[in-house]
Amino acid sequence: MGSILNFINNNNDNGLRCYETKKIALDGPDGSVLYNEIDEQEEENADYKARIAETDKKAVFHVKIPDEYIEKQEYDEPLFKYFLDGTRHVYKVGDLPIGSQVYPIIGGQVIVGCCHRESRKDFQIQDVDLRLVLSLPRCLKKYGKDEDFCRSFLEKMNNYLLSSNRYMQKRNLQFKRVVLYDIDGSKVDKEDKDRYARSGIAKIQSDMTDQEQLLVTKLCNENKIDRDNWLIKDGSIQYNPKYSFLDSTEWQKMRANYKYVVGVSKGFNPGLIKISNGKPLTRIIAELPVHHRTKAYVYESEMSVDENGNKMPFAVWYVRLRSNRLMQTKFSDVIKCEMLLLDKEIPSNQIDYISANLIHEATPVCYGKDSRWANHLYPVYLTENMCKSYFLNSNLFMNLF
């Protein structure tokens, strides 16, 4: 048994014992069942009929992006200067049996990183952080607040590891967070055999999304992001305060930092948005001509709410990056774009200009390096690779347990 499982056995409130198990990466082939995540915001708002979020209210399905925006020169200064990505690896590293139920011990590596460039000829790391996170079942705690137990447990565990584990000593590594996941049957799906693993993974995912938002806040506080220096966030920016470890007041303030941030998703549900006629955008997106976009629509997210509990509005639109003649599907080279709707609407020419700059970022391609090459933005691809290069070897990480 590894160092951390021994420590858990000697440092929990209820005298419970965890045991070694087959350690597996839950985001790898062996753990694929545990890794099928549900995009909750897409399920909850399936029948929402969206209104137009841009100044041009013309009811057309496809908008051609003006040629003067598409035709770039090598010396043109790019709109997007910063590229942010969060990624994580999660592992089942132990079992905690209580009666007939076995609860998994989940370990995770979380990396949030950002790259920066001043021109198209340079690209460098702006910020990157590796976080080791431990997700435990709540039954290990007997009394008191979760955060008090986790803070004390984390401090003791890090002291123990730094004094007893040569690998941790040599790398000066510490765990950044311990979290407790729900085991209450009313809060997890009883029909889901992987429900406790999903609950544990969700806590690690929450830590990652918090760090993404904190990094955006840091860049804004340093005056890095402004009207001439935009940021692309890889993936959705529809964060949910209910699953955040941040103070609710702090979380709400951070939303104001997203004026010059665009969330870009390579994978999406094309039927998410239904327009005024009640039909989803699926066919409209599939038939987008090259260098065209859909109208931008208001999407009120169940996942993100303001301080009064009201749904937060986002502007959502879709862009076809290149000719789809050689693509696997009609959606292979389409990206979903999101902006937090801080005003009632966004100027249509601004959406065109943003879309053209996203198309510029689609070249050069990473063909053969990633199966999603057709809807990759190349600087985002480089940022993803940078973040992944900071992961500890999976075997080394699992052997800590």
Side-chain angles (χ1 to χ4, degrees):
M1 186 179 294
S3 300
I4 296 177
L5 296 185
N6 277 326
F7 179 82
I8 295 171
N9 285 337
N10 296 319
N11 290 273
N12 69 83
D13 287 354
N14 289 320
L16 300 173
R17 290 193 63 80
C18 56
Y19 299 95
E20 282 194 283
T21 183
K22 179 183 178 183
K23 297 180 177 69
I24 58 171
L26 300 183
D27 40 11
D30 290 336
S32 57
V33 174
L34 302 178
Y35 190 60
N36 294 332
E37 298 174 42
I38 297 173
D39 195 339
E40 295 177 80
Q41 62 263 42
E42 297 188 352
E43 296 295 326
E44 293 177 2
N45 275 309
D47 294 324
Y48 176 75
K49 294 180 182 179
R51 64 186 188 275
I52 293 176
E54 57 184 284
T55 50
D56 184 350
K57 305 298 182 184
K58 204 176 296 179
V60 296
F61 293 148
H62 301 156
V63 178
K64 186 179 187 303
I65 300 166
D67 290 339
E68 60 265 31
Y69 291 162
I70 295 292
E71 294 169 359
K72 70 178 180 70
Q73 303 294 328
E74 283 299 316
Y75 51 80
D76 286 348
E77 184 177 344
L79 175 66
F80 293 103
K81 304 286 183 61
Y82 294 89
F83 308 90
L84 186 149
D85 183 40
T87 185
R88 48 112 171 120
H89 284 169
V90 287
Y91 312 82
K92 179 185 175 186
V93 291
D95 284 327
L96 180 65
I98 302 178
S100 61
Q101 183 61 57
V102 178
Y103 300 104
I105 306 294
I106 308 293
Q109 300 186 63
V110 170
I111 293 175
V112 173
C114 179
C115 289
H116 168 244
R117 69 179 179 196
E118 283 298 327
S119 71
R120 299 188 186 280
K121 295 183 179 180
D122 68 273
F123 200 78
Q124 58 191 328
I125 296 173
Q126 174 71 28
D127 208 317
V128 63
D129 181 34
L130 166 65
R131 297 172 61 83
L132 306 184
V133 183
L134 181 61
S135 187
L136 302 170
R138 184 164 276 115
C139 54
L140 287 172
K141 177 185 73 71
K142 191 172 185 179
Y143 302 112
K145 296 180 180 179
D146 287 3
E147 54 267 32
D148 292 338
F149 173 85
C150 290
R151 189 182 303 112
S152 174
F153 190 95
L154 176 65
E155 183 179 353
K156 291 176 183 177
M157 183 177 70
N158 279 330
N159 289 337
Y160 171 78
L161 289 172
L162 288 174
S163 64
S164 63
N165 188 292
R166 293 181 63 187
Y167 180 73
M168 299 288 278
Q169 292 170 357
K170 185 176 180 180
R171 297 286 301 269
N172 193 27
L173 288 173
Q174 297 188 49
F175 276 73
K176 298 291 183 68
R177 189 184 288 277
V178 171
V179 295
L180 301 178
Y181 66 80
D182 293 321
I183 59 172
D184 184 349
S186 65
K187 296 181 180 179
V188 292
D189 182 2
K190 293 181 181 180
E191 300 301 317
D192 182 2
K193 66 185 179 68
D194 299 321
R195 59 192 180 276
Y196 296 116
R198 289 186 188 278
S199 185
I201 293 169
K203 291 292 185 179
I204 296 175
Q205 181 77 13
S206 296
D207 180 77
M208 185 187 81
T209 55
D210 280 352
Q211 299 311 310
E212 291 174 349
Q213 294 174 87
L214 288 169
L215 183 49
V216 172
T217 298
K218 179 183 177 183
L219 292 170
C220 287
N221 290 342
E222 294 172 352
N223 298 315
K224 304 288 188 184
I225 303 174
D226 56 35
R227 61 185 300 172
D228 298 316
N229 300 275
W230 285 57
L231 179 144
I232 293 177
K233 156 65 174 59
D234 186 21
S236 177
I237 55 173
Q238 294 179 38
Y239 298 116
N240 191 335
K242 291 189 297 185
Y243 301 128
S244 172
F245 298 107
L246 301 171
D247 176 82
S248 58
T249 303
E250 181 184 7
W251 191 91
Q252 293 296 341
K253 287 180 180 177
M254 290 196 303
R255 297 277 76 193
N257 295 323
Y258 282 75
K259 185 174 183 179
Y260 303 110
V261 175
V262 179
V264 178
S265 299
K266 295 181 283 295
F268 53 84
N269 172 11
L272 169 65
I273 292 178
K274 291 185 179 180
I275 52 180
S276 57
N277 62 8
K279 294 184 178 180
L281 283 178
T282 309
R283 182 173 177 179
I284 296 171
I285 298 171
E287 295 179 358
L288 267 177
V290 62
H291 295 172
H292 282 60
R293 65 173 177 87
T294 66
K295 298 292 287 187
Y297 295 96
V298 177
Y299 180 71
E300 293 181 351
S301 174
E302 295 277 2
M303 298 295 288
S304 293
V305 296
D306 62 20
E307 60 272 21
N308 299 315
N310 300 316
K311 300 174 187 175
M312 298 184 73
F314 292 82
V316 176
W317 73 98
Y318 300 82
V319 179
R320 188 172 297 280
L321 298 174
R322 50 175 65 89
S323 170
N324 64 357
R325 185 171 58 88
L326 300 177
M327 305 307 162
Q328 291 182 330
T329 76
K330 288 291 186 179
F331 306 103
S332 293
D333 54 343
V334 177
I335 54 173
K336 174 187 173 188
C337 309
E338 297 175 6
M339 287 184 65
L340 188 60
L341 202 55
L342 297 170
D343 299 312
K344 290 185 178 179
E345 55 192 12
I346 301 175
S348 293
N349 62 345
Q350 184 183 55
I351 294 177
D352 285 337
Y353 188 63
I354 290 169
S355 300
N357 275 272
L358 291 172
I359 290 170
H360 295 166
E361 305 305 345
T363 53
V365 300
C366 51
Y367 179 78
K369 299 292 185 182
D370 193 305
S371 59
R372 306 164 298 170
W373 69 270
N375 50 15
H376 246 303
L377 304 180
Y378 197 67
V380 174
Y381 169 74
L382 294 178
T383 304
E384 279 188 3
N385 283 348
M386 181 276 292
C387 288
K388 291 175 181 176
S389 72
Y390 279 79
F391 279 125
L392 302 179
N393 177 276
S394 290
N395 288 330
L396 285 173
F397 178 77
M398 289 189 286
N399 283 335
L400 296 176
F401 297 85

